[in-house]
Structures are given as C-alpha cells and as structure tokens.
Amino acid sequence: MSTSVPKRGEVWLVDFNPTVGAEIKKRRPAVILSSDAVGRLSIKLVAPFTDWKAHFAHNIWHVRVNPDHTNGLSKASAVDVLQLRGMDRQRFIRKLGQLSRATLEEIVLKVGAIVEYP
C-alpha cells in the first residue's frame, strides 16, 4: 500500500481482487473520481481502466484515453464507468500519473449519463 493520499484525477494502480461475477478483476490502473474534500473514511471512488477495443466507441460508459507522458498509461485504454467502485486506500499500490482536466470532465459526464442525471 502507498503512503500517498490518492487525489481526484490521478491514475493509480489498484488491486481489484477479490471480485464476483463480471466485476473487473486483477491489478489495473484506475482514475480517482471522488472529491478530495469528501469523506473521513479512507475510501475513494474509482473507475478502472481496461484495454481499448474498437467496439467500445459506441458505448456511453467507456471513455478512450490514449497514453501520454502525464497519465502513466502504456497503451490505448478505456475508463469503464459502469465498474465504479468505492475502494479502501489499502488497495492502492502506486500512483501512475494524472489525467487532463478535459478527460476527467468527460468521464464525469459519462457517469452522469449512466445514472440518468439530470
């Protein structure tokens, strides 16, 4: 576990195991979505990354993120907002990078779409 405090918009390597059914598995990058000012518990709301696939382009719950020098990703990836999870900081392994403000806003808009807000 890292001693750093994960912050909104950062990309971290997170351990998603154990899982059940179709939940996303294993250690993988995830973006922190929860506000830095919310909560006294060591829980952060995250959305995991998965490998990008062309058919994801039509899904409202996937956001494509290409690797760059700031986000810590090594290949084209997709944030899967249907797999949002509250994760304890004990599951956070290390910080990989930071998403741009524009990408973070796109992800948050997708979260709004899947919960039909407003």
Side-chain angles (χ1 to χ4, degrees), residues 83-114:
Q83 296 273 356
L84 292 178
R85 283 183 67 180
M87 305 290 280
D88 189 277
R89 281 186 29 209
Q90 293 180 61
R91 291 181 175 269
F92 290 72
I93 299 162
R94 73 177 178 280
K95 181 180 173 185
L96 301 176
Q98 174 83 34
L99 293 185
S100 70
R101 183 178 183 99
T103 301
L104 184 60
E105 287 177 9
E106 183 179 357
I107 293 165
V108 171
L109 286 172
K110 299 286 184 162
V111 172
I114 66 164

Side-chain angles (χ1 to χ4, degrees), residues 56-71:
F56 289 172
H58 303 291
N59 299 341
I60 67 166
W61 60 91
H62 285 118
V63 176
R64 183 181 173 125
V65 181
N66 291 317
D68 66 29
H69 67 283
T70 60
N71 63 27

Side-chain angles (χ1 to χ4, degrees), residues 10-68:
E10 291 179 347
V11 177
W12 279 72
L13 183 62
V14 177
D15 187 355
F16 283 85
N17 289 319
T19 59
V20 175
E23 294 173 348
I24 208 151
K25 297 167 178 45
K26 67 185 181 181
R27 291 180 175 192
R28 64 178 61 244
V31 60
I32 313 302
L33 297 180
S34 51
S35 169
D36 295 335
V38 173
R40 294 184 300 183
L41 297 175
S42 62
I43 303 289
K44 295 290 184 178
L45 181 64
V46 303
F49 286 88
T50 190
D51 293 344
W52 176 258
K53 300 196 177 20
H55 67 272
F56 289 172
H58 303 291
N59 299 341
I60 67 166
W61 60 91
H62 285 118
V63 176
R64 183 181 173 125
V65 181
N66 291 317
D68 66 29

